[in-house]
Amino acid sequence: MNPIISAADLASESAGPRPPVLLDVRWQLGGPHLRPEYEAGHLPGAVFVDLDAELAAPPTPGGGRHPLPDPEAFGAVMRRAGVSRDSPVVVYDGGLGWAAARAWWLLRWTGHQDVRVLDGGLAAWHRELTTDVPTPAEGDFRPTPGGVGLLDADAAAELAREGVLLDARAAERYRGDVEPIDRVGGHIPGAVSAPTSGNVTADGRFRPAVELTERFTALGAADAQAVGVYCGSGVSGAHEVLALELAGIPAALYAGSWSQWSSDPSRPVATGPEPQ
């Protein structure tokens, strides 16, 4: 299944006999909370999902900024939003697609087979918005973790040595020139810089599959035995996993990402433009 959907196709499906469940995952790193923006206008029928509170567990020492949520708690959130095992789901956000991709990845990881991201997010929806907050019927989705690849720190380190591990953060953070959030700057030794900005065009839509394939081939991912992705805290990395899927390359996510790796002083850190 194509992991993205255009606004035109979403409008058509929403008016059809089997409309998708819509999840609004507007979010920005460091706040403020974007529930007010949702209440001021959202796609008809969309349910707001809070990334920090519902798509992540509370931060813990050594766990990173956005640990994966407890699967049962995540399942309860999805059921309240109307998600069932067989219902199509479309997720969108109001920015770069990172938050929507996090929800997409979590649903895929927990076994949902029919979930897509609105390509271009809210800005691509040139139709009427609503302020009506829906109360959907309870869904029946029950998470079964393991649907897609997940890495811990040790597995990410091994993949950086023996496969291809892509760093989805901005290049200056990869190099260690700046680090505005985490304890130390730099990257996992052996990881390859691949900022998420290279996945999309100027309007925030994903590049055509052929262009993404060319990009990831140049980075060594197309011929690798295994591919993994990390970012700052497992949010933008999900966007890269989605882009890789568009290119036909399966990839695992290191969900703890740099916020977890850099919190452990025993983990090695590389700096500069090269992987090592």
Side-chain angles (χ1 to χ4, degrees):
M1 172 174 291
N2 192 334
I4 60 175
I5 183 171
S6 69
D9 286 346
L10 175 57
S12 178
E13 289 191 19
S14 295
R18 193 166 174 255
V21 174
L22 298 179
L23 304 181
D24 183 312
V25 197
R26 274 179 272 185
W27 168 83
Q28 57 185 342
L29 181 63
H33 196 283
L34 296 185
R35 172 86 192 203
E37 280 75 4
Y38 163 82
E39 292 177 348
H42 51 267
L43 270 63
V47 176
F48 182 75
V49 178
D50 185 334
L51 187 149
D52 288 321
E54 297 176 319
L55 302 183
T60 59
R65 284 192 307 279
H66 291 105
L68 294 183
D70 173 76
E72 289 307 312
F74 173 70
V77 169
M78 292 297 101
R79 290 191 295 275
R80 286 196 300 271
V83 176
S84 290
R85 180 187 61 184
D86 297 325
S87 61
V89 180
V90 173
V91 190
Y92 70 91
D93 60 29
L96 300 173
W98 294 358
R102 168 78 173 205
W104 167 84
W105 186 89
L106 280 168
L107 279 163
R108 290 288 306 279
W109 176 63
T110 53
H112 203 289
Q113 299 299 312
D114 191 350
V115 54
R116 290 163 292 173
V117 168
L118 174 59
D119 195 19
L122 187 64
W125 184 260
H126 302 303
R127 294 165 176 80
E128 186 176 0
L129 301 177
T130 182
T131 58
D132 294 337
V133 176
T135 306
E138 182 92 357
D140 65 12
F141 176 64
R142 300 287 174 180
T144 306
V148 291
L150 174 65
L151 304 173
D152 61 13
D154 290 339
E158 181 179 357
L159 191 56
R161 295 189 300 268
E162 300 181 1
V164 171
L165 181 66
L166 301 178
D167 185 319
R169 298 172 301 157
E172 59 268 25
R173 291 185 69 193
Y174 171 89
R175 294 191 301 265
D177 298 346
V178 298
E179 182 44 64
I181 306 171
D182 294 312
R183 186 184 67 86
V184 63
H187 58 270
I188 296 173
V192 177
S193 181
T196 55
S197 57
N199 298 332
V200 296
T201 59
D203 63 2
R205 290 177 171 87
F206 280 94
R207 295 188 180 279
V210 64
E211 293 183 15
L212 292 171
T213 300
E214 291 173 356
R215 180 190 192 212
F216 293 123
T217 297
L219 293 169
D223 298 322
Q225 291 187 346
V227 179
V229 180
Y230 74 97
C231 56
S233 63
V235 177
S236 65
H239 187 276
E240 191 107 300
V241 172
L242 193 159
L244 283 155
E245 182 161 321
L246 286 169
I249 302 170
L253 178 66
Y254 171 27
S257 285
W258 188 248
S259 61
Q260 181 185 56
W261 182 279
S262 64
S263 70
D264 183 350
S266 72
R267 296 285 180 185
V269 171
T271 56
E274 300 300 325
Q276 299 296 341

